Amino acid sequence: MAGESSKRLSGFNVASVALGMTFLYLPIVILVIYSFNASRLVTVWGGWSLKWYRELFNDQAMLSATWMSLRVGVVAATLATVLGTLAAIALSRGESFRGRTLFSGMLYAPLVMPEVMTGLSLLLLFVATNAERGFWTVTIAHTTLTMCFVAVVVQSRLNGLDRSLEEAAMDLGCTPVRAFIAVTLPLILPSIIAGWLLAFTLSLDDLVIASFTTGPGSATLPIRIYSEVRLGVKPEINAICTLVVGAVALVIIAASLASKLSSKQGESAAPL
């Protein structure tokens, strides 16, 4: 009886969950609804319309910023996935190499460092090296920011694998590199994909670091939205934000599915 009662949701728990979900998602729901508002005034409902989505696709500045964010996100997420995976392998497989503590501390520093400090330090670096700020400076900055997140995801997956599988492959004649590619890489591939999706989402969402490292003609979508919101919310902004929310939701669903697949493979590969 005690077990059955503990599984039941009390009224307080239901109310707490409802209030929490409302606090988190009600503003997003309102934004999505008002993106279909026919009125130019964002606070006055004028009926359902796709007018502002058509206006959005005629806004070349907004479309250019969106394309910039997508390009930066794809390149930065790819670089961060490669570097983060290599770092995770070094931390997981090299338990006793000299400087491991320093390396892990430097790798995970962006996780706890304020983004303002990260952006300012990267800006000073680019100024000192006379680097022209634009696509590549923003990409490097986002790679620096997201690489540590990929390393955390992949390292946690590596730590849960049974290393005897690689040892068995090497006993059968595989070199360490071939054993890793043939045995370990397929098992950690879902976590690598999840890390890439996480890095892409963080890059797409970043405003602070991009504002320090961007240059003329290379504004990302968050910077463009922020600059226009300061002058007043336009209905087109509701439309582009709705599209971004939908895209991020798809990315999160894909990452969740990849994570579940990784967990199932880890359970099947775990020693009995």
Side-chain angles (χ1 to χ4, degrees):
M1 295 297 294
E4 294 179 358
S5 61
S6 63
K7 295 180 181 179
R8 296 176 183 174
L9 291 176
S10 65
F12 176 78
N13 291 337
V14 173
S16 299
V17 172
L19 288 175
M21 298 292 287
T22 301
F23 178 79
L24 289 174
Y25 295 108
L26 181 60
I28 298 177
V29 172
I30 293 175
L31 182 145
V32 172
I33 292 175
Y34 271 86
S35 70
F36 299 98
N37 184 14
S39 173
R40 178 169 291 275
L41 300 176
V42 294
T43 57
V44 178
W45 180 254
W48 297 94
S49 175
L50 295 175
K51 173 183 178 181
W52 305 117
Y53 286 90
R54 292 191 294 267
E55 293 288 338
L56 170 65
F57 289 109
N58 291 325
D59 189 340
Q60 293 302 319
M62 190 69 75
L63 294 178
S64 177
T66 304
W67 176 238
M68 176 71 177
S69 287
L70 291 175
R71 288 191 297 144
V72 169
V74 169
V75 177
T78 303
L79 292 175
T81 300
V82 173
L83 297 175
T85 301
L86 294 175
I89 294 172
L91 291 174
S92 179
R93 295 294 189 258
E95 294 87 350
S96 59
F97 74 88
R98 183 176 300 178
R100 184 180 187 277
T101 302
L102 177 62
F103 176 72
S104 61
M106 295 177 63
L107 176 65
Y108 297 140
L111 288 171
V112 296
M113 185 180 299
E115 290 188 359
V116 173
M117 293 179 59
T118 303
L120 180 59
S121 61
L122 289 169
L123 172 62
L124 295 176
L125 173 65
F126 295 143
V127 170
T129 56
N130 291 323
E132 182 179 355
R133 280 174 286 168
F135 171 80
W136 285 110
T137 54
V138 179
T139 300
I140 292 172
H142 283 184
T143 302
T144 303
L145 172 67
T146 58
M147 181 179 65
C148 53
F149 291 92
V150 177
V152 169
V153 174
V154 177
Q155 185 184 3
S156 63
R157 183 72 186 93
L158 282 169
N159 291 338
L161 290 181
D162 182 11
R163 297 187 63 176
S164 63
L165 297 174
E166 287 186 26
E167 296 173 357
M170 287 187 286
D171 289 341
L172 295 174
C174 289
T175 63
V177 174
R178 182 173 177 79
F180 177 83
I181 295 175
V183 177
T184 305
L185 186 59
L187 294 175
I188 67 172
L189 185 59
S191 64
I192 294 176
I193 296 174
W196 189 95
L197 293 172
L198 177 61
F200 177 78
T201 303
L202 292 172
S203 174
L204 190 66
D205 178 65
D206 177 69
L207 170 64
V208 178
I209 294 179
S211 64
F212 279 95
T213 56
T214 192
S218 59
T220 59
L221 182 60
I223 293 177
R224 183 69 187 178
I225 293 175
Y226 178 71
S227 63
E228 292 197 5
V229 166
R230 294 175 62 186
L231 302 176
V233 179
K234 298 194 304 183
E236 293 95 330
I237 296 178
N238 289 339
I240 187 63
C241 289
T242 299
L243 294 177
V244 171
V245 167
V248 171
L250 293 177
V251 170
I252 292 175
I253 292 172
S256 177
L257 293 176
S259 178
K260 289 181 179 180
L261 178 61
S262 177
S263 299
K264 290 181 180 179
Q265 289 187 350
E267 292 176 358
S268 62
L272 298 175

